[in-house]
Amino acid sequence: MATETGIGASVKRKEDARFITGAGRYTDDVGQHGQTYAVFARSPYARARLNGLDTSAALATDGVVAVFTGADLQASEVGDLPCGWMVKSKDGSDMVQPPHPPLAVSSVNYVGEPYAVVIGETLDAAKNGAEALDPDFEELEAVVDLATAAGADQIHESVPNNQCYDWELGDKAATDAAFAQAHHVASIDIVNNRLIPNAIEPRAALGEYDEASGTYTLHTTSQNPHLERLVLAAFVNIAPEARLRVISPDVGGGFGSKIFVYAEETAVIWAAGQLRRPVKWRAERSESFLADAHGRDHVTHAELAVAQDGRFLGLRVQNKANMGAYLSTFASSVPTYLYGTLMAGQYKTPAIYVEVQSLFTNTAPVDAYRGAGRPEATYIVERLVETAAREMGIDPAELRRRNFIQPADFPYETPVALTYDTGDYEASLNRALDHADYAGFQARREASEQAGKKRGIGFSCYIEACGLAPSQVAISLGAGVGLFEVGEVRVDVTGSVTVVTGSHSHGQSHETTFAQIISDKLGVPFENVTVLHGDTGRSDYALGTYGSRSLAVGGSAIIKATDKIIAKGKKIAAHMLEANEDQVEFEDGSFNVADSNQSLTFGEVAFSAYVPANYPLEDLEPGLSEKAFYDPPNFTYPAGAHICEVEVDPDTGVVTIEKFVAVDDFGHVINPMIVEGQVHGGLAQGIGQALLEHGVYDDTGQLLSGSYMDYTMPRADDLPSFTVDTTVTPCTHNPLGVKGCGEAGAIGSTAAVMNAVTDALGVKDVPMPATSETVWRALRNGGNG
Amino acid sequence: MEQSGEYRIAGSRERVWEALNDPAVLERCIDGCRSMTPVGDDRFEAVVAARVGPVKATFTAAIKLRDVDPPERYRLEVQVKGGVAGFAKGTAAVELAEVAADETLLTYQIAGGIGGKLAQIGSRLVDSAARKMTASFFERFAVDFAA
């Protein structure tokens, strides 16, 4: 039903009214009678032995209720924080996981690692108590530099060479043979800069224990409350899942950083049980910088073998990935199964070999951040392709065209373990070239030169794999959880609809998008659909939101449940209309008997299901409420073409983005306005990585970019007005034909910006972020910042 | 962090040396110093309230005297703890040279590092904060000395 609120309509967001009026309900807005406040004591050292911890003065501080240390948690048999993906090394051995206690016991391994929690009647009391703690640290030499971490001091007793794993993917012999045939080899050495997530809402938790029922309730800023519950129940040993409820109310941004199960909420829910009182914690921004999982941080050498006619023959990648001090919840999967598998990009490169060595350093743990592995992979592939084009004197758009997987090639099996289902890469590129007025670039460049400026253009034709799937394949590759989603459609007595989804919305607007789907499929008014999410007490076990999966996986589960509603509705309608079930059709919100004028509205059928006066009770249960689990048969493969045009002022090094075009293929689009918003946000983050953002530790492991004085977030005046457009090849294997749009902006844009900057400067590489200082220096020494 | 400098002080080298080793003088001259307590012959413990940019805290400093060669030179090894504000550590090499009977040239070289919140928020501010603190010390020292 094509309506103003159905699929394809840019409906205004249901969420906006409460967010704009300040009526949103975030974790920190939730309060309980008698609640206490937690403050975490954090290591000021990057690496130190904790030889002792005197808590007496802290305990004697006015208003301090309790002080808990790592030893207390250990004595209470609180388990370590686990990593959910087992990656194996080349030799078949399991990755090496150091113990990760929620509160440090005898050693600390990054600045900001919590070693105690002080609980106070007030926040100030807890802070005063934390100030009064007297730890006895013995500082040790910190391991900070990723490139040399393998040969440095051993951080963890159980981790030789600080190596987590040494992983490979692809056919080494075939790739080496391809390089032996190469007419040209383009190579690059790339540092993918460390990013700090900076969600607008800091992490927070409120733990409660109900003595009467023995039940724990944790409100927290999680992208996937069921995963939080699973870990707290099965690994941390708080309580069985049935006596542990995790609620993630409104959450202000996650970008991956709120997927993970952290020390703080773990300690908070445990402490609530110990004290029999609610315990509240909210991160200060300084804590977010130190202790939210960071993103990216790779050092990579990569080469592309090219034939004389420009065909790609082979790709070789040697990557070092920084894990930080401990393995965060999904850290191991990011530089492997979400990275190496993407190295074919949009191209028919026949031989690819990827090696990834993951190493520990005395820095904050690194895990998935918007795009998670795929931006890093895209950055390698697209910087290499652009380098090859320049070195061979082939137009970069043309070189890409010569190598694109063609529409007729799908399904296309890459040499790195994925099977792309559909796409039309040239269509996106051509559309982007039009929007960018590529033909007019040379004239614009000359005009810039006449004005004493340097102008450059850069491309990035990215692919991503979203909606990580199927469960069986992922589990066989080391995933510790399934990858399905659950959706429940509850039709109410009077015909309104409540949808419960396992996907979590923290900016993605599920309440609107999913209501549009239901309104469209069931013909009920958009206003009559309410979407609930983020509560293990409301939904069945679910996997939550990450990897642009909500619509492709969560939406598909809702469609499956909706199909069951329609099937049952047909049975009810057939009975009421005294027709055969196969004569009943459902269209535009009514059940009609074929070749007749007999029909019932959806509301009439729903009412009958709950007030079953005229109802086939002997054959059919009353009620109209259905649930479905959906496990996708494959990833989805959003892809697109981003083109960036920059102007550089050689006197100051300032880079100005003159134009940014993103043409993305997300399959079918439910709400174009929301999709555009997602793309805008992703572009801002990708451009932020290229030009502004950088998580920097000094050589003793102190975080130097630990506040907004030193960590530069993109602002509106750093960005141009984006040109955003879409092409559509529907996903072939999910009911909505959708692919996912959450990460694309961050995946594609970074390489486009840096290809443009290096084009403007006429250098091979400039390190990210290309700040004015870096660019100014690069102009004076021919690259290398 | 590294800093060095020199000051001319009106007074004999011996008198300057004595003053530099007098906890009461140091307590008066160090900005924000709450106490300066000698511990044995070659150690002091100090409590100093200081501010580096937005980080304001009461720091406890353990000061060890090394390579003491009166009245010419010594080296201070300093460990500063600021609780949740972080830590600082460093050495200061101080030398006194006789310029005239009643004029002494003091030269110093400081090397140190900071950690925790001090580094996270104050890295770019700590140099100027240290410089300011040093300048303030010698200013007060000169006045105190003349009195």
Side-chain angles (χ1 to χ4, degrees), chain A residues 82-99 146 149-151 154-156 158-168 319-336 356-361 366:
Chain A
C83 177
W85 198 303
M86 172 54 73
V87 171
K88 289 184 185 290
S89 284
K90 288 171 185 168
D91 62 7
S93 62
D94 288 350
M95 69 183 185
V96 187
Q97 290 189 72
L146 171 63
Q154 189 170 323
I155 298 170
H156 299 285
S158 59
V159 187
N161 304 315
N162 297 319
Q163 181 180 296
C164 181
Y165 53 76
D166 183 15
W167 178 85
E168 66 178 348
N319 183 37
K320 283 189 164 79
N322 201 339
M323 296 285 100
Y326 300 95
L327 278 181
S328 174
T329 315
F330 288 108
S332 55
S333 65
V334 174
T336 50
V356 180
Q357 187 185 24
S358 278
L359 296 161
F360 293 103
T361 60
V366 178

Side-chain angles (χ1 to χ4, degrees), chain A residues 570-584 591-594 596 598-600 614-616:
Chain A
K570 283 181 180 174
K571 288 193 171 96
I572 300 167
H575 175 90
M576 291 170 74
L577 296 171
E578 296 174 355
N580 284 328
E581 190 189 324
D582 55 13
Q583 290 177 293
V584 178
F591 294 92
N592 311 308
V593 178
S596 84
Q598 286 189 297
S599 90
L600 288 167
N614 177 15
Y615 191 92

Side-chain angles (χ1 to χ4, degrees), chain A residues 618-648:
Chain A
E618 58 282 7
D619 301 324
L620 207 57
E621 295 170 10
L624 196 55
S625 176
E626 297 288 348
K627 176 164 63 191
F629 290 83
Y630 177 78
D631 200 284
N634 192 358
F635 286 90
T636 65
Y637 297 97
H642 291 187
I643 301 178
C644 178
E645 191 168 321
V646 300
E647 193 177 66
V648 177

Side-chain angles (χ1 to χ4, degrees), chain A residues 645-665:
Chain A
E645 191 168 321
V646 300
E647 193 177 66
V648 177
D649 181 339
D651 293 332
T652 62
V654 169
V655 175
T656 308
I657 298 181
E658 295 292 330
K659 184 148 198 168
F660 198 103
V661 176
V663 178
D664 302 295
D665 177 358

Side-chain angles (χ1 to χ4, degrees), chain A residues 252-320:
Chain A
F255 316 113
S257 72
K258 291 173 182 166
I259 297 172
F260 321 124
V261 181
Y262 287 93
E264 292 86 357
E265 64 263 25
T266 303
V268 159
I269 189 70
W270 174 82
Q274 296 292 306
L275 298 173
R276 303 291 199 254
R277 287 182 68 179
V279 180
K280 170 71 116 4
W281 169 74
R282 192 202 67 217
E284 295 190 351
R285 185 58 67 179
S286 289
E287 295 182 278
S288 305
F289 272 99
L290 294 173
D292 286 6
H294 293 178
R296 318 284 191 254
D297 205 345
H298 289 185
V299 175
T300 317
H301 175 73
E303 303 162 287
L304 180 66
V306 190
Q308 192 160 13
D309 60 2
R311 273 181 308 112
F312 301 158
L313 302 173
L315 176 69
R316 233 174 357 211
V317 179
Q318 288 172 302
N319 183 37
K320 283 189 164 79

Side-chain angles (χ1 to χ4, degrees), chain A residues 25-37:
Chain A
R25 193 163 184 260
Y26 297 87
T27 296
D28 198 41
D29 295 323
V30 183
Q32 294 297 344
H33 179 69
Q35 83 185 11
T36 59
Y37 296 82

